[in-house]
Amino acid sequence: MTMLIRLALRNARRNVRRTLLTMATVLIGTSLVVLATAWLDGIFGGMMSAIAETSGHIRLVDTDYLEREELAPLYENVADADKAIAAARSVDGVVAAYPRILTGALLAKGEELGEDFGLVVGASPEWYAERLKGPDHIIAGAWLTGKKDEVVLGRKLAKQLDVQVGDEVLLLGQTQYGSMSDLAPTVVGVVSADAMIDNQAFVNLADAQWMLDMDGGALEVLVYADSTDGAHLAPIAEKLAAHPDLAGITPQPWSSREPIPTMMPMVDGMSGFIAGLVLFITSLAIFNTMTMSVMERTGEIGVMRAMGLSRPGAIALFAVESGIIGLLGGIGGAILGGAAGMYLEVYGVTLDEQLLDQMAQTFPMKQTFYADVNAGNLTTAVVLGIFIALFGALLPAWRAGRIQPVTAMKARR
């Protein structure tokens, strides 16, 4: 093996320009893979974390509500939220639990009926402060103080309604029994954090319960564990499902709720497509280098075969040579792509506010996106560099192994 490495290094130095050009191709390709995967991990990883944090690691909902959630059957709710919270907190691994109400409403400035639809969120002060981090993202006024008839509006919703702090807004919704109900709170603050929060209205839990005629109840109880890992949450969910005080209530881990199951295959597919495209393009450069190398050294290979070099040995010679090029190119790509990714991890890319407003309101898309460089990105680059080189050298190496000594020496190449 030592002899093969020495011969491979010598052959790589024969045409330094071509070797460096091929290595640079691998370097650029792998650095792009590192940057792209770090970018995707940063965007979607941050989005997943935000979804888990604001929607609960596990949520407790009425089983009938879960089966028909698209129809928003408000009467299928957790009638005694405090009892459900106490039961959840008694389970090992659970660190917190909060009640929450989500309901749609028509919003308008003043007392006139409006046409602007928004999602009204009602939750406890602890959830707003510890999980949503609402008070940290106030851009005007202040967060809810706990007094009756207060509302904090998302930035886009406030702009859409043309309201400011101190204005009164009308929230027209319905009770859990289907009758019309309304709130006329005063805007105490405007918040801006992501595309989802910017389109919501936040009220005190008691006001939301009054609006839905749901005294002491909640549409869901958000449960938080000491880890978001699915394998860790599964046994906790099983214990919650078996708890006698949670009969008729279903625990649902965050990773099993839409849009997570839909997004994950999409992210994996995008990463695979990028890696496959780089693999194809870069392999062409390796193929060209190894093909030219085989053609230039046909006579030499023939002499080595006549001196006892086996066919697998000839194949291994070119495989080692390409592997060295791929290894060095992969390491360089990891360094270059990692450096660019770390820059984006620190500074990110900030979108224009108007572009953020056009994004889907159901995803917590932040205005500034950050990359996420990790050991997996960098290791993938090195491994991919070697694999690309070996893949591109496969056919030329096979051709080299088929060279017959007599034929090669007659060719005089």
Side-chain angles (χ1 to χ4, degrees):
M1 186 62 184
T2 304
M3 180 61 69
L4 283 176
I5 295 176
R6 289 176 59 188
L7 289 174
L9 289 173
R10 187 200 67 177
N11 293 335
R13 291 196 301 267
R14 283 187 172 184
N15 193 324
V16 177
R17 180 180 297 178
R18 186 170 62 203
T19 299
L20 290 178
L21 180 62
T22 306
M23 194 180 299
T25 304
V26 176
L27 183 150
I28 293 172
T30 53
S31 65
L32 289 176
V33 170
V34 171
L35 187 59
T37 54
W39 190 243
L40 289 175
D41 287 348
I43 294 175
F44 289 100
M47 192 183 304
M48 300 297 178
S49 298
I51 290 175
E53 191 64 18
T54 58
S55 299
H57 301 164
I58 300 174
R59 73 167 181 167
L60 302 177
V61 291
D62 185 274
T63 302
D64 293 330
Y65 179 86
L66 184 62
E67 293 175 352
R68 296 179 295 145
E69 188 170 0
E70 297 81 5
L71 302 176
L74 301 179
Y75 52 88
E76 304 287 5
N77 54 70
V78 182
D80 192 342
D82 289 339
K83 180 180 178 181
I85 290 172
R89 289 177 175 172
S90 68
V91 173
D92 291 339
V94 173
V95 297
Y98 311 90
R100 188 172 73 164
I101 290 175
L102 300 176
T103 185
L106 291 174
L107 295 92
K109 182 178 181 180
E111 298 181 353
E112 295 183 3
L113 183 63
E115 299 179 352
D116 296 307
F117 182 83
L119 184 66
V120 179
V121 181
S124 64
E126 294 80 12
W127 182 82
Y128 280 139
E130 298 169 8
R131 302 297 173 174
L132 187 68
K133 307 293 185 183
D136 298 337
H137 299 289
I138 285 290
I139 59 175
W143 192 256
L144 301 170
T145 65
K147 296 179 180 179
K148 186 179 179 182
D149 293 335
E150 293 180 332
V151 64
V152 170
L153 297 179
R155 176 192 56 80
K156 183 181 177 182
L157 190 57
K159 181 180 178 181
Q160 190 174 327
L161 295 172
D162 190 27
V163 298
Q164 298 177 351
V165 174
D167 291 340
E168 184 179 280
V169 294
L170 176 67
L171 280 62
L172 182 62
Q174 63 178 18
T175 68
Q176 61 172 309
Y177 306 109
S179 59
M180 301 298 293
S181 64
D182 65 277
L183 284 175
T186 300
V187 178
V188 296
V190 178
V191 64
S192 180
D194 56 53
M196 188 165 64
I197 290 177
D198 286 6
N199 287 276
Q200 295 177 343
F202 305 92
V203 300
N204 295 302
L205 179 63
D207 287 338
Q209 290 173 331
W210 181 87
M211 184 176 180
L212 272 63
D213 196 6
M214 197 181 292
D215 186 30
L219 283 181
E220 56 189 5
V221 171
L222 306 184
V223 178
Y224 293 85
D226 47 14
S227 172
T228 61
D229 182 72
H232 179 75
L233 293 178
I236 296 178
E238 292 177 1
K239 293 177 182 178
L240 290 170
H243 199 288
D245 290 341
L246 297 176
I249 296 177
T250 299
Q252 188 182 36
W254 73 275
S255 56
S256 66
R257 290 151 49 191
E258 290 295 344
I260 307 301
T262 301
M263 289 175 60
M264 291 307 297
M266 179 179 66
V267 176
D268 293 340
M270 291 174 65
S271 299
F273 174 77
I274 293 171
L277 182 61
V278 171
L279 171 66
F280 175 75
I281 296 175
T282 311
S283 293
L284 293 179
I286 296 289
F287 174 80
N288 178 67
T289 298
M290 292 296 104
T291 300
M292 294 298 295
S293 183
V294 170
M295 293 177 61
E296 292 174 355
R297 301 189 337 243
T298 301
E300 178 184 329
I301 296 170
V303 172
M304 295 176 67
R305 289 292 309 280
M307 293 175 64
L309 182 67
S310 64
R311 177 176 294 180
I315 295 175
L317 176 62
F318 286 92
V320 171
E321 180 181 345
S322 62
I324 292 173
I325 294 175
L327 174 62
L328 296 177
I331 293 174
I335 294 173
L336 180 61
M342 290 180 67
Y343 175 86
L344 292 175
E345 189 172 3
V346 174
Y347 297 101
V349 174
T350 302
L351 301 179
D352 182 80
E353 192 174 275
Q354 294 181 351
L355 181 61
L356 182 67
D357 289 344
Q358 296 174 4
M359 292 185 175
Q361 302 175 11
T362 54
F363 295 100
M365 301 287 288
K366 296 184 180 296
Q367 190 171 0
T368 301
F369 294 148
Y370 297 94
D372 179 18
V373 180
N374 51 61
N377 304 137
L378 304 179
T379 303
T380 298
V382 178
V383 174
L384 187 61
I386 297 173
F387 181 77
I388 287 172
L390 294 176
F391 182 76
L394 183 62
L395 184 57
W398 180 75
R399 288 178 177 175
R402 295 192 61 188
I403 293 176
Q404 298 298 323
V406 176
T407 305
M409 288 186 285
K410 284 182 178 180
R412 294 181 181 179
R413 282 193 276 173

